[in-house]
Amino acid sequence: MAQPDTDGKRKWVYAFSPGAAEGGADMAELLGGKGANLAEMARLALPVPPGFTITTDVCDAFFAAGNTLPEAMKAEVMRALDGIGEMVDARFGDEKCPLLVSVRSGSRASMPGMMDTILNLGLNDQTVEGLARLTGDSRFAFDSYRRFIQMYGDVVLGVDHGAFEDILENFKNLNGFAADTDLDEESWREIIADYKAAIEREYGAPFPQDTNEQLWGAIAAVFGSWHNPRAKTYRRLHDIPDDWGTAVTVQAMVFGNLGDNSATGVAFTRNPSNGEKDIFGEYLPNAQGEDVVAGIRTPQPLTRKGAGEASESSLEVAMPHAFGELVQIFEQLEHHYRDMQDIEFTVQLGKLWILQTRAGKRTTEAALKIAVDFAADGLISRDEAILRIEPAQLDQLLHPAIDPGAEHDLIARGLPASPGAASGELVFHSEMAEALKAKGRDVILVRSETSPEDVHGMHAAVGILTARGGMTSHAAVVARGMGRPCVSGAGTLRIDANAGTMRAGARMFKSGDIISIDGSTGRVYAGKAKMLPPSLSGTFGTMMEWADEARRMKVRTNADTPRDAKQARIFGAEGIGLCRTEHMFFEESRILAVREMICAEDQEGRQQALDKLLPVQRADFEELFEIMAGLPITIRLLDPPLHEFLPHEDREAAQVAAALGMDLVRLKTRVAELEEFNPMLGFRGCRLGIKYPEITRMQVRAIFEAAVNAQKKTGNAVRPEVMVPFIGYRREFDILRAVIVETAEAVKKETGITIPYDVGTMIELPRAALLAAEIADGELGADFFSFGTNDLTQTALGLSRDDAAPILSNYLEHEVITTDPFVSLDLPGVGELVKIGVDRGRSVKPDIKTGICGEHGGDSKSIAFFEDIGLDYVSCSPFRVPIARLSAAQATIRRRLSGKAS
Ligand code: PEP
Ligand code: MG
């Protein structure tokens, strides 16, 4: 809210000038980022042109009054304007000595280029003559006037800027002029007359000559630009609330286009691409700020070094005095703000003016380097350095990325299911993907949805694209585990795998066509996109070390294969929080035995299949134990969504029938019996082991025999954590615990080796969360809880994981939700269930180990919540491990800073 003035009234306007300011950097809410920083620079006595900022409260009042400016503000503005005039020896609207101002937007968060700006305000048919006399440069004066008319006509009066451009272009063509700089005073006078006529024609009234009217019009238009479509889109993409509003800053004009000792430019105090301590920026001699942005002329580098061979053209050489002062100011601002700055400046007749400073946008690589360097120089603490990195941004470093600076041909959008980018030939079948991969070709596997048979195809592909499925659907989870980029749920694509075609709107793509996908944004492009390779710098390692020292929670990984496990260790995982044993069965060579096991009609048939699977599982577990070298490993008993394993195609059904010695019709009848309407809520998890304990026996035997072998081989003690999935009742847990204990004992007897172990459970059904005390109670209760927030979200919301995508996008549109609850935990609902589960579990077993292994284990916001409720660890897919390490560190630090930590 506005600060009361000394007489108790609201204060609408805050003035600043070098050495004196009514605001400061901490007032961005009221003055916007630009206004607050200008005030701050003024306080530091830096050379900022004097001005004032009209607060965001006025913006609120303006919209509340139906786009009308409050009268009380107008009086304050006129007083402030007189103040500026006194400082620069000019008066607003004065014919002899006119004060000219810029009117610029500035919201709390920077929204570069999204709202409007008007320069040279205060010029009219009389004051332009005054400006010409004062500067002795009538060409400059009339050029400034036409620029003002053009900007004002466009922004305030709504006359299409194309109309002005046409007039100028025609004039240049008719008179044989190539560049704007060729036009003299007379030419500009003619153009001004044409501009004014265009405004009268299009707007229906003459261009305003009253400078006060100009000012109110400009201020209202800049406030109004808060609601223009591009600003709205930008806010939506960057989570900036619509009700913040913008401030407006009015400032005395300084001119970079007053001749060869004038210039205008933009600078970053460090290189925003790699973070090196190099001044990075460009300038245009004899130009106004908009010329740099508009790209009409090619700007020159600021430094000799940046200019290379053309060092003569650098600001450092061309204007050494201004450059020297600029470098000093960069130092001062970096030290003052303790961050890399992005600065706009103007040199007017040799004198340097600073027009803006703000924290500069940077790549992740640069963000890491700058944070680590600032901490090393003692400018910020390590905690601050850690807090400055947006964890999700680390993705940029772990995968190749599509070059944001290049042009691309967008054909569809889906969910950003697994980060990274890839280009390759379209392929519609996994077999084809493998065959082409073997020939060294890059392929993108495109499927309506994926099934276990596709895992080899997914592995062979450089990227995966599906028309159906959400962020936690099979394709997404598997792709993330593999580190393959994946776009899922691109619902506008029509895929016909048999015909080998993919339709995107009116365009048709066929096998072999090249496309690119960006799994970090969900975008799909035609053709080969330009990529930037992944790179892990030394500063990445340093930042990760610091994060590890700071965090309380452990970070484990979800890994089912040796490759995942190795990758996760490279990324710093401290164990496996979830090994989905059903994923171990996806491979072509194993899936037949799994199908036999599922489709067998009797125990004998099932046992035969299990006997085939035992050595395979044992070997897999052994390798995982070896790779994890003594780190904890949670192995979950089979939790197969049955529909993913049933043989559907004739060829597959025939194979299974032959293996089981069944005739095909009976096999098909059996498959039909096993079909479920709602497989995700069907015969899954512990339900399978309770019906067929021999399956659990086989798995537990494989785990313990593997543990014995690995321990012998490596000398590292192994302590498996056996996990029961999908329970809702204590009794379910008891039944399976008994099978686990009995099998572990049997292996102990046979081998003579005691393997210590824990038996715990997933908490992934609301009933399990509510009954957590009962489930954990006593020595035979669960030794640990691992929250399965994927299923917990599905079951708490009654929203199928596999069918959620179109519903959620509709809900996002209608603002029922603000984020996908399968990506970022629904804290009030599902989060509360997790908290209840933890609290109730601890009420009977205070030291029960608690973790989370749903996809939320790699999401920063969710991780902050898990820190707050005191989980012991999070577990996420290998490529999210660094993100989780940093997020966990930030969560610990924030908790400490908020005073919540004990
Ligand atoms: C979960 O439900 O959160 C979980 C980790 O298990 P899955 O995704 O395998 O169902
Ligand atoms: Mg689950």
Side-chain angles (χ1 to χ4, degrees), residues 271 315 324 382 419 430 458 524 536 602 640 658 665 703 721 761 770 782:
N271 183 318
L315 187 77
R382 278 192 186 184
S430 289
M458 291 170 76
V524 184
L536 287 185
D602 51 25
V665 177
I703 293 170
E721 298 167 342
T761 181
L770 297 173

Side-chain angles (χ1 to χ4, degrees), residues 541-771:
T542 307
M543 179 61 76
M544 284 294 127
E545 264 170 42
W546 292 359
D548 290 346
E549 279 166 28
R551 72 188 151 87
R552 179 192 63 79
M553 281 191 293
K554 295 273 182 201
V555 175
R556 300 197 195 179
T557 190
N558 295 354
D560 331 308
T561 63
R563 196 171 25 82
D564 284 356
K566 281 184 200 150
Q567 182 66 66
R569 284 215 65 188
I570 293 172
F571 286 152
E574 297 164 298
I576 292 181
L578 173 64
C579 170
R580 292 177 164 104
T581 52
E582 61 280 4
H583 284 192
M584 297 171 143
F585 293 148
F586 282 158
E587 266 179 39
E588 183 88 55
S589 57
R590 302 169 177 196
I591 200 159
L592 181 61
V594 179
R595 285 183 171 143
E596 281 174 59
M597 173 184 82
I598 292 171
C599 297
E601 288 177 304
D602 51 25
Q603 197 181 344
E604 198 188 327
R606 208 158 26 252
Q607 193 59 52
Q608 268 176 21
L610 289 169
D611 290 346
K612 290 184 203 163
L613 289 171
L614 174 66
V616 173
Q617 286 252 280
R618 189 175 48 223
D620 283 347
F621 293 145
E622 223 173 290
E623 218 180 330
L624 288 184
F625 288 138
E626 281 171 26
I627 293 167
M628 283 295 156
L631 294 171
I633 300 193
T634 306
I635 298 175
R636 184 174 72 184
L637 299 177
L638 203 58
D639 178 17
L642 268 198
H643 63 304
E644 289 193 11
F645 284 95
L646 290 175
H648 289 292
E649 287 171 24
D650 281 353
R651 184 181 53 88
E652 296 161 0
Q655 267 180 346
V656 179
L660 284 171
M662 249 192 222
D663 82 42
L664 188 57
V665 177
R666 247 179 61 214
L667 190 272
K668 286 196 171 170
T669 315
R670 174 79 181 135
V671 171
E673 272 168 28
L674 291 170
E675 293 281 1
E676 295 173 308
F677 281 112
N678 233 329
M680 291 306 271
L681 298 177
F683 199 45
R684 287 183 62 183
C686 63
R687 298 165 191 177
L688 194 77
I690 290 171
K691 182 141 189 211
Y692 304 127
E694 56 274 23
I695 298 179
T696 306
R697 257 181 235 123
M698 180 281 286
Q699 288 206 290
V700 177
R701 175 165 284 279
I703 293 170
F704 282 86
E705 289 180 356
V708 169
N709 294 349
Q711 197 162 292
K712 271 193 205 151
K713 203 162 151 191
T714 64
N716 288 318
V718 178
R719 186 187 177 103
E721 298 167 342
V722 184
M723 180 152 76
V724 182
F726 223 65
I727 72 162
Y729 298 87
R730 165 70 189 247
R731 177 78 187 133
E732 293 170 318
F733 182 75
D734 289 343
I735 293 172
L736 288 176
R737 180 168 195 135
V739 178
I740 294 163
V741 171
E742 168 205 305
T743 313
E745 282 300 312
V747 176
K748 180 172 146 188
K749 258 204 206 113
E750 287 157 24
T751 60
I753 293 178
T754 304
I755 299 285
Y757 62 96
D758 296 306
V759 184
T761 181
M762 299 280 294
I763 301 286
E764 51 186 342
L765 295 176
R767 189 178 199 280
L770 297 173
L771 276 284

Side-chain angles (χ1 to χ4, degrees), residues 139 176-184 187:
R139 187 198 170 277
F177 294 135
D180 290 5
T181 38
D182 296 341
L183 277 69
D184 59 8
S187 310

Side-chain angles (χ1 to χ4, degrees), residues 345-616:
F345 65 91
T346 284
V347 181
Q348 175 177 288
L349 301 173
K351 165 143 181 56
L352 176 70
W353 295 95
I354 305 292
L355 302 183
Q356 174 167 334
T357 190
R358 62 183 167 197
K361 302 234 183 283
R362 60 205 84 177
T363 64
T364 305
E365 190 191 336
L368 286 171
K369 170 120 181 80
I370 291 167
V372 167
D373 285 355
F374 271 59
D377 290 349
L379 276 172
I380 59 175
S381 67
R382 278 192 186 184
D383 282 357
E384 282 179 285
I386 292 169
L387 291 174
R388 283 204 182 165
I389 308 299
E390 167 55 44
Q393 274 191 353
L394 293 178
D395 259 354
Q396 269 184 27
L397 300 179
L398 308 180
H399 303 273
I402 287 188
D403 183 350
E407 290 254 317
H408 298 111
D409 180 8
L410 183 72
I411 54 170
R413 276 169 205 264
L415 297 168
S418 178
S423 296
E425 295 176 44
L426 270 185
V427 156
F428 296 89
H429 298 282
S430 289
E431 290 67 33
M432 184 61 105
E434 276 199 315
L436 292 177
K437 159 101 193 290
K439 291 186 186 157
R441 311 236 297 256
D442 284 343
V443 298
I444 306 263
L445 179 65
V446 181
R447 305 285 283 158
S448 287
E449 62 218 326
T450 59
S451 77
E453 285 100 310
D454 290 322
V455 168
H456 62 294
M458 291 170 76
H459 189 222
V462 294
I464 297 124
L465 169 63
T466 73
R468 288 202 281 273
M471 296 290 284
T472 59
S473 67
H474 175 77
V477 172
V478 174
R480 272 198 294 276
M482 289 178 174
R484 292 283 179 286
C486 173
V487 173
S488 68
T492 55
L493 295 178
R494 294 285 164 268
I495 291 161
D496 185 343
N498 291 328
T501 58
M502 175 180 92
R503 195 152 55 79
R507 296 170 70 179
M508 191 66 113
F509 297 83
K510 55 183 189 330
S511 294
D513 287 350
I514 304 285
I515 62 163
S516 302
I517 60 167
D518 187 341
S520 309
T521 62
R523 294 198 169 98
V524 184
Y525 304 98
K528 190 168 169 60
K530 187 149 181 267
M531 302 280 180
L532 300 173
S535 62
L536 287 185
S537 59
T539 41
F540 171 82
T542 307
M543 179 61 76
M544 284 294 127
E545 264 170 42
W546 292 359
D548 290 346
E549 279 166 28
R551 72 188 151 87
R552 179 192 63 79
M553 281 191 293
K554 295 273 182 201
V555 175
R556 300 197 195 179
T557 190
N558 295 354
D560 331 308
T561 63
R563 196 171 25 82
D564 284 356
K566 281 184 200 150
Q567 182 66 66
R569 284 215 65 188
I570 293 172
F571 286 152
E574 297 164 298
I576 292 181
L578 173 64
C579 170
R580 292 177 164 104
T581 52
E582 61 280 4
H583 284 192
M584 297 171 143
F585 293 148
F586 282 158
E587 266 179 39
E588 183 88 55
S589 57
R590 302 169 177 196
I591 200 159
L592 181 61
V594 179
R595 285 183 171 143
E596 281 174 59
M597 173 184 82
I598 292 171
C599 297
E601 288 177 304
D602 51 25
Q603 197 181 344
E604 198 188 327
R606 208 158 26 252
Q607 193 59 52
Q608 268 176 21
L610 289 169
D611 290 346
K612 290 184 203 163
L613 289 171
L614 174 66
V616 173

Side-chain angles (χ1 to χ4, degrees), residues 11-14 30-31 53-59 223 246-247:
K11 182 167 171 57
W12 302 102
V13 169
Y14 287 71
L30 197 63
L31 303 180
T53 298
I54 307 171
T55 68
T56 52
D57 278 348
V58 180
C59 188
F223 279 138
T246 181

